[in-house]
């Protein structure tokens, strides 16, 4: 039994994973139905039904009561004088004789305001949602309320008395699961995979129309979400229920299969040992990652997300902010990033390795002191040291040009040219990064058995031969992770470029991650920034695949 | 064996010719930090000489006199210490499984760890916050520890796995013959032989948690629960920073790292050469 | 039939059970953010300012009985934390921040317009421009605590009276150069819109209106003026904040255009320095810097808007402002500037009060964010790398357009 690879659990795990990814890709719909995002749903509901007249102010949903009030904030006096004073007037929609709605106005009391004013989606005791949005100019015109006053629509959404379950989805999911499980006659590999595929694609086929269906379902889901009385967005939107239902029995079966065997199989031991790491990494890394992937297909605008598909990617890959002919376009920045990474990794590794070799020698005095001092660049927070380095590279008042002057060389205008700034960046990052590599190399050097060196000494080998044929081959498996990960980290190193050269001259030394951060933190455009990060991510994946193919040593690491 | 006595003076001294100047050059920026910490002025020092021009401990006194200084420093030590423990534990077990067992999903797991490092993390602040909030770990040390360990684990797993791979399997095979189970193999054979790599892992996990302030500031809502880097970053204001205080804080913050490194140094050498394990 | 029946049935049972538990309706219970007796306030103050704030919070507690929990944050982390925490109900009741994010907060629905509570007497208490800075689309969103703007710092030993015009400054600087003072004028960042704005505004342009011809011409004029000043050796070519401070304190720089935070760099030294309003350009056009206002904002998710409003009033009220003014802070309370100032602060207060009439509030419109990087690139390429101003302007305009899409 253990001769054949234990593939039985792959199918349900794959099923679950694909289902989750699939559901997350339609996150833009899902985000509407979570707790505080009921606000966006409601706003959109109101937006898709613009107010065209008084009768529109009476909107009721099936099972949920929606009450609308118009609130007018009026400014008294001219803007230069005592503006910012705004008594509240409320326009209530009353149903007059014959069922025709009419607009009557009252002034709201301060008490009413204090008791009811809940400007954003806020959960009250009875689970009501209160929302506010300003009326558009068109709506204002339709209601005959033109002028400079600030008109807002307050909506109160009360949940239905009885919260309906999404019976459709739950039933569909359970049926699909049973169907898949029924496909099992034996634990035969092919039937298992077949059953899993039926389960997966069945759930996809059933849930896809459900996900994209008409507003009735949206209402049902929204009121279900509202009835949960959760003040925070739920992490598991309703759409996930179908695939999760479909795949949960598979996952449980697989786990049961693993643990009900007699003797612990190698797989079981391995999974037990991997479990804590896998669980925490999946939870804390993959879920935000999946959300990030979903974000990349949306446009973010002040808390509202709008699905835009591949638009961001077209823009980025078409050169980004600059078109392809411009020197500063995306591909130029990509080239600069690759150059930056290559230089840094080369310097870190060679410096770290040389120092580790030197410090590993037998009988070297003050070894401990050297090691402790050389770790200082890593120990001090890099915010201050990066700025010190920047000061050292100042053309007129920096230490480096001053020292060059002492030796009679002409001072270099560091920050005025691309290569000067690049040198400054690389030097700073090398200073900051070599201690880490040194420590890793020191650790890795310990895995080289000393008797190999003794044998080589007896054979009369020179130090270089010893290094080349003993040290290096044995070090590479231990060093490769550090180099690969180090290059990934350097690729995404935002801090140093920002602090030292600031992207000068003129944005030439900016790297890709600087752009992504700029979009995220300067412009609050999280969707675009997420798309940028996804592009960076894909580039790095390709790089990893490339290194796997090119280097045999890396192959060994993976085997 | 040690070097031949006649070769000793030159052979054991020439590295100093390289190490001494290099270490001196490496120390220059650090000297500036010390200089700024010892000056009562709060401007960024741009003078040409890194030697301290005046010695005053006013900055250190001011730092120590800040409210909650001891609590915040202790929180930092606690968080980083536990991150180290959790990170080392998680990554040791995972690396053991990845190194010694061939199971399906192994390559996927290895790649997954690599992949986790590729997605720029700071952009995922808000989903991470939501997640931690949903788990109820906001404002708790456990939340921070969990996030930091998860950040540190991928490199640690890879590093340890690489090191475990170099340990010859014959050692384990002989133990298996004597009836040792997986845990005994792990705990009594692999771990003691991997002390250097574990020391590196521990130092790395510690550093991941130690200087980080953005996540700590976002997750914690009580000044008493802050870690020290959060407080340190407050000296960097919107328009200007108080460099004297920041430099002094930077020095205070570097000391535990150096201390940890000192403590781990003796583990950094050894491994296969210590304890007579020969094939 | 299936070999392992038990696990299968068990798993199906678990599946059903989890579904049912997720779907059950519980009785309506208290929302998570219960009305707590203490108000929470987040701020990024440090040192003296922080302790002064805590004092006024203590006073508030003594007077009204409401406790306030203040949380001190690093400045970089404040915005992040607000955006993450507030929508999830973990945010503060109030926070103290800069006015330029008001537009973003308002659009995102994070802050509460306070127009409802304002009275005309309250409106009269503050400088009107500070209130203008805190309002967005006609709604006032906070109360101003203090303001900051740029002024001219000079050394009284090098130049006993401050120059009133740029020509005067130039002649003083040239005569000082013969005495060994290398540089005449500096700002911490020449390529930042914030520090270039006084010149742009003096020529009649405005950064938010760069699509109009008038502002474009004004920008071209202002950069050419600064380029001339650099070329004449009046302004050092490569600058940063630390360098400006160090040149000024060591007597290598005669005049600095900087904000009130510069005082911190000068206080430790024994330098004789003073401030004056910014000089005018040759034809009486005033240099008009940006106005930055620090205000207290009320979260729109607060459970107790009335209490939060009372606290906001207390923080920006007369007593707290007077204490801050004594320490050299620039408060937004108008009447206090009429009071007698200690001699050390007389010039300080008078300068900034006078300069306030010649400022323009930094726009809090969310679209303002698009301007910073393209204009920084424009300024640095023209001023430092001698690029053609017209081409750089075209490129900057295109970049601004692109970002908006």
């Amino acid at each position: 039994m253990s001769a054949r690879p234990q593939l039985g659990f792959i199918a349900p795990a794959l099923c679950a994973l694909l289902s989750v990814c699939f559901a997350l890709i339609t996150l833009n719909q899902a985000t509407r139905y979570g707790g505080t995002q009921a606000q966006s749903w409601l706003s959109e509901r109101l937006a898709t039904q613009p107010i065209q007249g008084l009768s529109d102010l009476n909107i009721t949903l099936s099972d949920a009561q929606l009450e609308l009030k118009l609130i007018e904030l009026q400014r008294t006096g001219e803007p230069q004088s005592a503006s910012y004073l705004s008594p509240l007037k409320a326009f209530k929609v009353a149903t007059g004789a014959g069922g025709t709605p009419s607009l009557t106005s009252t002034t709201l009391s301060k008490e009413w305001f204090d008791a009811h004013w809940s400007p954003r989606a806020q959960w009250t005791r009875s689970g009501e949602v209160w929302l506010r949005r300003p009326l558009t100019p068109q709506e204002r015109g339709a209601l005959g309320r033109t002028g400079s006053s600030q008109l807002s629509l307050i909506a109160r959404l009360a949940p239905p008395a009885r919260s309906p379950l999404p019976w459709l989805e739950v039933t569909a999911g359970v049926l699909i699961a049973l169907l898949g499980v029924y496909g099992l006659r034996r634990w035969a590999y092919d039937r298992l995979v077949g059953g899993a595929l039926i389960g997966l694609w069945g759930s996809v086929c059933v849930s896809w129309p459900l996900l994209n269906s008409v507003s009735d379902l949206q209402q049902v889901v929204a009121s279900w979400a509202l009835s949960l009385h959760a003040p925070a967005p739920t992490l598991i939107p309703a759409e996930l229920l179908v695939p999760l239902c479909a795949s949960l029995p598979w996952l449980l079966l697989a786990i049961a299969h693993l643990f009900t065997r007699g003797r612990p199989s190698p797989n079981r031991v391995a999974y037990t040992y991997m479990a804590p790491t896998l669980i925490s990494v999946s939870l804390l890394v993959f879920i935000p990652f999946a959300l990030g992937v979903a974000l990349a297909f949306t446009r973010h605008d002040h808390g509202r997300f709008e699905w835009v598909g591949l638009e961001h990617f077209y823009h980025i890959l078409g050169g980004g902010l600059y078109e392809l002919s411009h020197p500063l376009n995306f591909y130029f920045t990509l080239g600069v990033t690759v150059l930056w990474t290559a230089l840094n990794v080369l310097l870190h590794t060679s410096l770290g390795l040389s120092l580790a070799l030197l410090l590993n020698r037998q009988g070297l005095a003050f070894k401990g002191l050297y090691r402790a001092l050389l770790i200082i660049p890593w120990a001090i927070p890099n915010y201050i040291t990066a700025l010190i380095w920047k000061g050292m590279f100042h053309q007129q008042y920096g230490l480096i040009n001053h020292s060059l002057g002492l030796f009679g060389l002409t001072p270099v205008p560091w920050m005025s040219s691309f290569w000067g700034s690049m040198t400054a960046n690389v030097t700073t990052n090398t200073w900051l990064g070599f201690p880490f590599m040194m420590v890793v190399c020191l650790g890795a050097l310990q895995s080289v058995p000393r008797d190999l060196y003794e044998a080589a000494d007896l054979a009369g080998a020179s130090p270089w031969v010893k290094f080349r044929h003993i040290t290096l081959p044995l070090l590479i498996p231990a060093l490769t992770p550090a180099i690969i990960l180090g290059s990934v980290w350097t690729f995404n190193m935002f801090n140093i470029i920002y602090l030292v050269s600031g992207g000068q001259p003129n944005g030439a030394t900016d790297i890709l991650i600087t752009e992504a951060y700029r979009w995220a933190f300067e412009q609050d455009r999280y969707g675009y920034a997420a798309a940028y990060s996804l592009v960076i991510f894909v580039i790095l994946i390709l790089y990893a695949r490339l290194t796997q193919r090119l280097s045999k040593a890396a192959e060994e690491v993976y085997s | 064996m040690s070097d031949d006595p006649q070769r000793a003076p030159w052979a054991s001294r020439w590295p100093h010719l390289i190490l001494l100047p290099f270490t001196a050059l490496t120390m220059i920026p650090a000297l500036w930090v010390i200089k700024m910490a010892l000056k009562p002025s709060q401007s960024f020092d741009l003078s040409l000489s890194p030697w301290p021009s005046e010695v005053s401990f006013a900055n250190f006194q001011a730092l120590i006199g800040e409210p909650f200084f001891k609590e915040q420093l202790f929180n930092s030590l606690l968080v980083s210490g536990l991150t180290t423990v959790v990170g080392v534990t998680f990554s040791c077990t995972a690396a053991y499984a990845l190194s010694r067992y061939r199971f399906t999903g192994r390559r996927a797991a290895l790649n997954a760890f690599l992949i986790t490092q590729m997605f720029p993390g700071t952009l995922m602040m808000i989903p991470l916050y939501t997640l931690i909030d949903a788990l109820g770990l906001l404002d708790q040390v456990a939340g921070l520890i969990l996030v930091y360990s998860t950040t540190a684990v991928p490199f640690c797993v890879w590093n340890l796995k690489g090191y475990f791979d170099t340990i010859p399997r014959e050692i384990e095979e002989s133990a298996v013959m004597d009836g040792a189970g997986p845990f005994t193999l792990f705990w009594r054979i692999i771990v003691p032989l991997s002390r250097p790599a574990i020391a590196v892992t521990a130092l790395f996990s510690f550093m991941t948690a130690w200087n980080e302030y953005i996540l700590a500031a976002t997750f914690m809502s009580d000044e008493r629960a802050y870690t020290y880097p959060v407080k340190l970053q407050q000296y960097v204001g919107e328009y200007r920073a108080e460099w004297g205080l920041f430099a002094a804080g930077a020095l205070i913050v570097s000391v535990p790292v150096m201390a940890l490194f000192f403590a781990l140094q003796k583990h950094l050498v050894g491994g296969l050469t210590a304890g007579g394990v020969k094939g | 039939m299936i070999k392992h029946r038990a696990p299968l049935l068990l798993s199906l049972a678990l599946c059903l059970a989890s579904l049912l538990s997720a779907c059950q309706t519980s009785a309506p219970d208290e929302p998570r953010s219960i009305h707590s007796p203490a108000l929470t306030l987040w701020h990024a103050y440090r040192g003296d300012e922080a302790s002064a704030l805590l004092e006024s919070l203590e006073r508030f507690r003594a007077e009204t009985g409401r406790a306030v929990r203040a949380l001190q944050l690093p400045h970089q982390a404040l915005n992040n934390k607000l955006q993450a925490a507030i929508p999830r109900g973990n945010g503060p009741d109030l926070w103290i921040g800069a006015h330029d994010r008001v537009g973003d907060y308002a659009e995102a629905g994070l802050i509460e317009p306070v127009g409802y509570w304002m009275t005309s007497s309250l409106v009269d208490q503050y400088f009107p421009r500070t209130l203008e800075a805190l309002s967005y689309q006609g709604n006032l969103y906070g109360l101003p605590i203090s303001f900051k703007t740029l002024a001219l710092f000079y050394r009284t030993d090098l130049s006993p009276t401050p120059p009133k015009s740029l020509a005067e400054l130039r002649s003083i600087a040239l005569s000082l150069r013969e005495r060994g003072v290398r540089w005449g004028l500096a700002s911490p960042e020449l390529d930042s819109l914030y520090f270039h704005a006084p010149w742009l505004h003096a020529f009649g342009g405005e950064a938010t209106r760069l699509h109009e011809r008038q502002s474009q011409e004004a920008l071209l004029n202002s950069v050419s003026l600064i380029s001339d000043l650099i070329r004449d050796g009046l302004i050092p070519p490569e600058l940063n904040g630390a360098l400006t401070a160090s040149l000024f304190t060591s007597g290598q720089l005669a005049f600095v255009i900087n904000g009130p935070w510069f005082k911190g760099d000068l206080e430790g030294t024994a330098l004789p320095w003073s401030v004056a309003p910014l000089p005018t350009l040759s034809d009486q056009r005033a240099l008009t810097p940006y106005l930055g206002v620090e205000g207290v904002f009320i979260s729109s998710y607060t459970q107790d808007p009335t209490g939060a409003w009372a606290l906001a009033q207390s923080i920006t009220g007369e007593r707290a402002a007077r204490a801050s003014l004594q320490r050299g802070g620039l408060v937004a309370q108008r009447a206090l500037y009429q009071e007698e100032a200690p001699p050390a602060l007389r010039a300080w207060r008078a300068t900034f009060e006078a300069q306030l009439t010649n400022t323009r509030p930094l726009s809090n419109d969310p679209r303002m964010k698009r301007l910073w990087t393209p204009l920084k690139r424009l300024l640095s390429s023209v001023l430092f790398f001698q690029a053609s101003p017209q081409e750089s302007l075209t490129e900057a305009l295109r970049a601004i357009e692109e970002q908006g899409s």
Side-chain angles (χ1 to χ4, degrees), chain A residues 284-559:
Chain A
L284 289 177
V285 177
F286 280 117
I287 292 186
F289 172 70
L291 286 172
V293 169
L295 259 186
F297 298 96
T298 67
R299 173 195 295 269
H300 169 257
D301 182 27
H302 294 115
R304 297 178 280 274
F305 294 90
E306 176 201 334
W307 184 267
V308 290
L310 293 173
E311 184 188 308
H312 293 319
F313 296 101
Y314 290 146
H315 193 256
I316 296 171
L317 293 172
L321 215 46
Y322 302 94
E323 66 270 325
L324 288 172
S325 55
H326 192 281
L328 281 185
N329 69 48
F330 170 79
Y331 297 98
F332 175 81
T333 315
L334 175 60
V336 170
T337 316
V338 169
L339 178 66
W340 154 260
T341 310
L343 282 175
N344 272 304
V345 171
L346 204 64
L347 285 171
H348 284 184
T349 316
S350 45
L351 210 52
L353 187 55
S354 326
L355 286 172
L357 284 171
L358 282 176
L359 289 173
N360 202 35
R361 294 173 67 83
Q362 296 269 38
L364 183 68
F366 303 119
K367 245 192 301 203
L369 185 62
Y370 275 128
R371 285 197 210 123
L373 287 180
L374 284 174
I375 209 160
I376 281 181
W378 196 17
I380 303 187
N382 66 10
Y383 187 77
I384 191 171
T385 45
L387 288 175
I388 290 177
W389 273 100
K390 178 179 174 164
M392 288 208 284
F393 276 102
H394 191 269
Q395 181 182 349
Q396 195 141 19
Y397 297 102
L399 181 62
I400 295 190
N401 275 350
H402 181 76
S403 320
L404 287 179
L406 287 179
F407 286 117
L409 302 165
T410 53
V412 178
W414 296 105
M415 299 300 179
S416 310
S417 72
F418 171 76
W419 287 108
S421 305
M422 194 54 133
T423 313
N425 286 341
V426 170
T427 316
T428 310
N429 199 32
T430 307
W431 183 85
L432 287 169
F434 83 82
F436 167 71
M437 266 311 205
M438 182 184 84
V439 168
V440 170
C441 291
L442 267 176
L445 276 174
Q446 308 312 316
S447 71
V448 180
R450 214 159 278 276
D451 45 345
L452 287 179
Y453 287 125
E454 290 164 23
D457 274 337
L458 286 177
S462 73
W464 171 248
V465 166
K466 278 195 286 189
F467 175 70
R468 178 122 171 46
H469 292 281
I470 302 178
T471 318
L472 209 51
L474 288 175
L475 267 191
I476 286 185
L479 275 193
T480 310
I483 294 179
I484 296 183
L485 279 169
S487 46
V488 170
W489 290 331
T490 311
F491 202 85
N492 280 337
M493 170 89 60
F494 165 79
N495 246 355
I496 307 303
I497 306 267
Y498 181 74
L499 289 173
V500 177
S501 77
Q504 299 289 41
N506 207 14
T509 51
D510 268 340
I511 57 177
L512 289 176
I513 189 72
T514 322
E515 275 299 309
Y517 273 43
R518 188 163 287 143
W519 283 104
F521 296 118
E522 254 183 50
Q523 307 282 335
D524 277 353
R525 297 268 296 273
Y526 293 115
Y528 195 90
Y532 222 100
S533 313
L534 198 53
V535 170
I536 294 177
F537 173 74
V538 168
I539 292 174
L540 285 171
I541 296 249
L542 291 174
Y543 161 72
R545 301 294 282 147
L546 197 69
T547 53
Q548 280 178 33
R549 267 170 224 260
L550 283 184
S551 101
K552 288 204 191 129
E555 212 34 60
E556 204 180 282
V557 172
Y558 280 91
S559 63

Side-chain angles (χ1 to χ4, degrees), chain C residues 219-261:
Chain C
L219 184 58
L220 291 174
N221 285 333
S222 60
V223 290
S224 83
L225 173 63
I226 303 283
S227 301
D228 289 341
L229 290 176
I230 297 179
R231 217 184 22 242
D232 293 344
L234 207 61
I235 299 184
E238 197 183 322
L239 274 184
N240 55 57
L243 190 60
T244 309
S246 120
L247 288 175
F248 189 72
T249 49
S250 62
Q252 288 294 308
L253 177 59
F255 300 102
V256 173
I257 295 182
N258 211 338
W261 54 85

Side-chain angles (χ1 to χ4, degrees), chain A residues 84-85 110 117 119 125 163 165 187 302 315 321-322 394 396 510 518 522-526, chain C residues 4 23 25 30 83 101 104 112 115-116 118 182 238 243 303 369 373 377 385 398 402-403 405:
Chain A
Y84 320 119
L85 308 181
K110 205 158 187 301
W117 185 257
R125 284 191 72 95
S163 60
L165 290 172
W187 279 112
H302 294 115
H315 193 256
L321 215 46
Y322 302 94
H394 191 269
Q396 195 141 19
D510 268 340
R518 188 163 287 143
E522 254 183 50
Q523 307 282 335
D524 277 353
R525 297 268 296 273
Y526 293 115
Chain C
H4 303 278
C23 299
T25 58
E30 295 291 333
Q83 288 195 331
R101 301 227 68 170
D104 285 313
E112 176 69 13
Y116 177 73
M118 288 294 276
R182 177 97 193 265
E238 197 183 322
L243 190 60
Q303 293 285 350
K369 292 196 285 269
T373 307
R377 296 232 172 112
F385 303 112
R398 232 203 66 244
E402 283 265 352
Q403 285 182 58
S405 58

Side-chain angles (χ1 to χ4, degrees), chain A residues 176-200:
Chain A
I176 290 162
L178 285 175
L179 182 69
V181 169
Y182 175 74
L184 290 179
R185 295 284 178 158
R186 277 184 289 254
W187 279 112
Y189 166 48
D190 49 355
R191 305 256 183 155
L192 210 59
V193 171
L197 285 175
I198 293 176
L200 170 65

Side-chain angles (χ1 to χ4, degrees), chain C residues 79-393:
Chain C
N79 197 43
N80 248 342
K81 199 171 159 83
L82 284 170
Q83 288 195 331
I86 292 184
R88 290 194 57 92
N90 294 329
D93 292 296
L94 313 105
W95 73 89
I96 295 177
H99 80 280
D100 52 359
R101 301 227 68 170
V102 163
D104 285 313
Y105 293 147
E107 289 282 348
L110 297 176
I111 47 179
E112 176 69 13
V114 300
Y116 177 73
W117 288 289
M118 288 294 276
T119 60
S120 35
S121 61
L122 199 53
V123 168
D124 284 335
Q125 272 184 27
Y126 304 103
F127 288 110
R129 217 158 259 167
T130 56
L131 289 178
E132 196 184 317
L134 288 173
S135 59
Y136 177 71
Q137 290 189 349
N139 285 324
L140 178 66
Y141 281 102
L143 284 179
I145 301 177
S146 64
F147 69 91
K148 35 173 85 76
T149 185
L150 298 177
L152 188 73
F153 286 78
Y154 65 100
R155 303 250 316 231
T156 45
D157 54 344
L158 296 178
S159 162
T161 55
K164 293 270 184 316
S165 70
L166 186 60
E168 207 183 314
L169 191 150
R170 204 195 269 256
S171 63
I172 297 181
L174 284 174
S175 67
L176 282 176
R177 200 192 294 185
E178 277 139 41
R179 279 166 52 188
V181 178
R182 177 97 193 265
W183 308 105
L185 179 65
S187 281
E189 281 172 49
L190 282 178
D191 55 354
S192 155
L193 173 63
Y194 186 79
F195 287 100
H196 188 76
W199 310 91
L200 175 62
H201 295 155
F203 280 101
E206 205 175 297
T208 50
R209 291 217 288 267
L210 273 179
H211 47 274
E212 287 168 21
R213 208 173 147 57
Q214 186 191 4
S215 292
Q216 290 175 9
E217 282 182 6
L219 184 58
L220 291 174
N221 285 333
S222 60
V223 290
S224 83
L225 173 63
I226 303 283
S227 301
D228 289 341
L229 290 176
I230 297 179
R231 217 184 22 242
D232 293 344
L234 207 61
I235 299 184
E238 197 183 322
L239 274 184
N240 55 57
L243 190 60
T244 309
S246 120
L247 288 175
F248 189 72
T249 49
S250 62
Q252 288 294 308
L253 177 59
F255 300 102
V256 173
I257 295 182
N258 211 338
W261 54 85
F262 195 47
K263 189 160 74 131
D265 282 322
L266 303 175
E267 249 164 5
T269 62
L271 282 176
W273 60 273
S274 186
V275 274
L278 293 177
T280 59
L281 289 186
S282 323
D283 37 5
Q284 301 310 311
R285 282 177 300 190
L287 288 180
T288 316
Y290 275 133
L291 174 71
V293 173
E294 196 164 52
V296 55
F297 305 107
I298 300 180
S299 161
S300 62
Y301 284 74
T302 180
Q303 293 285 350
D304 183 12
T306 328
W309 172 249
L311 180 57
Q313 273 191 287
S314 161
I315 292 176
T316 58
E318 212 179 280
R319 248 201 305 197
R322 190 171 286 127
S324 167
L325 203 56
Q326 301 292 11
R327 277 193 330 266
L330 297 168
V331 297
Q333 287 266 356
R334 262 210 292 215
L336 297 182
Y337 283 79
Q338 313 306 326
E339 292 175 11
E340 187 64 33
L345 288 177
R346 218 165 274 165
W348 182 260
R349 272 194 224 176
T351 301
F352 283 100
E353 193 188 354
Q355 188 65 55
L356 185 57
T357 56
N358 259 334
T359 55
R360 207 166 289 191
L362 185 55
S363 168
N364 56 24
D365 195 311
R367 288 169 300 177
M368 181 78 194
K369 292 196 285 269
R370 296 186 216 160
L371 298 175
W372 297 103
T373 307
L375 286 177
K376 186 178 177 86
R377 296 232 172 112
L378 185 154
L379 288 169
S380 73
S381 53
V382 173
L383 295 176
F384 299 151
F385 303 112
Q386 280 79 43
S388 144
Q390 185 60 55
E391 279 173 24
S392 309
L393 179 59

